[in-house]
């Protein structure tokens, strides 16, 4: 690192460059305070050419502070120069940050003896103009007024012309990557700028782009979270719809089974009623039949059915419907427990019927392990019911 030389005549005759170092500088509050202070005043400034075309405008022009450097420079050295942004320092720094570039700052001292040669030979050089316009955001100010005076007080240059390469950082700070003091020819200036970009530009490029990349990552994460949530909600809606369709189909099937069961029971009840009518004939007719020796076949069938019912006590009829469409009907006692139905199903040895539970149709009720101790009457399955075997 070469130190900045102050005070000697030899130092004033040689350009000074502080090599490969970076220092953090806190910006003055008057510079950091705001951005667009001169945007409204730019339209009020009338260039000298327009005033010559319109004599009625000939009056002492009020040059905005941000235009003062450009007006002074172009009046003395012409319009061939890098593109200097006519705005406040913070606005130029924000532009550099948005464009992912470093800032080239020039403090102009009109009265310094080295200024004319630097402006006419170096800053007006086509090589310097093209390189700066392609790689930097340029900002200039007069060193003894406005923001130029504030920056000079902050950076404290030892000599003029004074140039610096600046990178925007968080807060009210800036990183001075390189500074050059005194006269310097175009080729040397471009070489120093190029070396600065190669040595430190990549590291501070991350700082310049850091906040934008962080915002981009946060935005991507938020979009992914929204997409995942939408996908999850869509899956939940599809599951609910499928479950509703399955329940509806299940209830329709149960209703049809119940109707067929009721129809079958009604058909089975008719022979029993006819048999009962035969059994309860008047005594005279029974006596006549006995005398005549007529057989009592119908009465015998009814008595056998009644005897079987009263003897065994199987007064509860359960229709069991299996997932494959198979149905089994079995009679139980109303005092039997639901465990008896499970034992009956297990005794059938049907393939695929291992882990299951029983469900009634109307009203829908589940008879699982917690209900196996209930009697059929307490469970509401007496005198007849239909159960569905649901696999788990």
């Amino acid at each position: 690192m070469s130190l900045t030389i102050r005070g000697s005549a030899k130092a004033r005759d040689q350009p000074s460059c502080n090599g490969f170092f970076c220092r953090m500088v806190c910006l003055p509050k008057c510079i950091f305070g705001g951005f667009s202070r001169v945007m409204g005043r730019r339209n009020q400034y009338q260039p000298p050419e327009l005033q010559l075309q319109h004599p009625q405008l000939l009056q002492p022009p009020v040059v905005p502070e941000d235009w003062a450097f450009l007006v002074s420079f172009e009046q003395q050295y012409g319009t061939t120069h890098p593109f200097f942004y006519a705005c406040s320092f913070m606005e130029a720094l924000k532009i550099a940050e948005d464009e992912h570039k470093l800032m080239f700052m020039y403090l102009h001292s009109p009265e310094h003896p080295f200024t004319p040669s630097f402006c006419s030979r170096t800053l007006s050089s086509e090589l310097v103009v093209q390189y700066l316009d392609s790689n930097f955001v340029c900002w200039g100010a007069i060193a003894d007024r406005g923001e130029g005076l504030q920056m000079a007080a902050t950076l404290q240059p030892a000599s003029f012309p004074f140039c610096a390469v600046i990178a925007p950082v968080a807060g009210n700070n800036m990183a001075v990557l390189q500074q050059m003091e005194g006269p310097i020819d175009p080729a040397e200036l471009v070489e120093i700028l190029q070396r600065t970009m190669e040595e430190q530009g990549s590291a501070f490029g991350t700082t310049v782009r850091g906040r934008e990349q962080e915002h981009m990552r946060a935005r991507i994460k938020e979009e992914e979270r929204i997409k995942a949530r939408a996908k999850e909600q869509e899956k939940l809606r599809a599951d609910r719809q499928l479950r509703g369709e399955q329940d509806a189909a299940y209830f329709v099937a149960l209703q049809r089974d119940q109707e067929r069961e009721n129809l079958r029971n009604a058909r089975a009840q008719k022979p029993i009623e006819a048999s009962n009518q035969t059994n309860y004939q008047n005594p005279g007719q029974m006596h006549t039949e006995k005398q005549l020796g007529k057989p009592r076949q119908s009465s015998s069938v009814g008595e056998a059915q009644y005897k079987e019912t009263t003897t065994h006590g199987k007064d509860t009829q359960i229709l069991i419907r299996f997932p494959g469409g198979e149905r089994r009907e079995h009679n139980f006692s109303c005092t039997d427990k639901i465990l008896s139905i499970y034992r009956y199903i297990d005794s059938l040895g049907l393939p695929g019927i291992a882990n299951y539970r029983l469900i009634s149709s109307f009203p829908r009720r589940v008879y699982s392990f917690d209900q196996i101790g209930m009697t059929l009457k307490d469970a509401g399955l007496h005198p007849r019911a239909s159960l569905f075997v649901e696999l788990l």
Side-chain angles (χ1 to χ4, degrees), residues 125-253:
S125 169
E126 198 66 32
L127 176 64
V128 174
V129 171
Q130 292 181 2
Y131 189 80
L132 287 176
D133 288 346
S134 300
N135 299 282
F136 292 85
V137 170
C138 299
W139 181 82
I142 299 177
D144 59 355
R145 55 187 291 186
E147 288 189 331
L149 180 61
Q150 295 293 334
M151 295 305 301
T154 301
L155 300 177
Q156 298 181 356
S159 180
F160 290 95
F162 177 82
C163 305
V165 177
I166 297 174
V169 293
N172 60 340
N173 297 322
M174 66 177 181
V176 181
L177 305 184
Q178 185 64 267
Q179 65 183 50
M180 295 148 282
E181 301 173 356
I184 185 172
D185 58 54
E188 186 178 2
L189 176 61
V190 171
E191 181 183 357
I192 294 173
L193 295 176
Q194 186 174 5
R195 188 169 66 250
T196 302
M197 290 186 62
E198 292 175 354
E199 296 292 337
Q200 303 189 53
S202 59
F204 277 86
T206 304
T207 303
V208 172
R209 293 187 295 269
R211 279 175 288 179
E212 181 175 344
Q213 292 176 351
E214 183 179 351
H215 293 330
M216 180 65 69
R217 286 193 295 268
R219 189 159 56 246
I220 291 175
K221 288 183 180 179
E222 181 66 17
E223 291 176 357
E224 291 177 351
R225 188 184 66 81
I226 293 175
K227 289 181 181 179
R229 184 176 180 182
K231 187 175 180 180
E232 182 179 357
Q233 291 178 350
E234 182 64 25
K235 185 177 181 299
L236 290 176
R237 283 195 295 268
D239 291 343
R240 284 196 296 266
Q241 182 178 0
L242 179 61
R243 193 180 305 114
E245 293 174 355
Q246 291 176 344
D247 290 344
Y250 172 74
F251 287 134
V252 170

Side-chain angles (χ1 to χ4, degrees), residues 261-272:
E261 181 184 355
N262 294 338
L263 181 60
R264 184 167 54 252
N265 293 337
R267 290 176 179 176
Q269 189 70 21
K270 288 181 180 180
I272 297 176

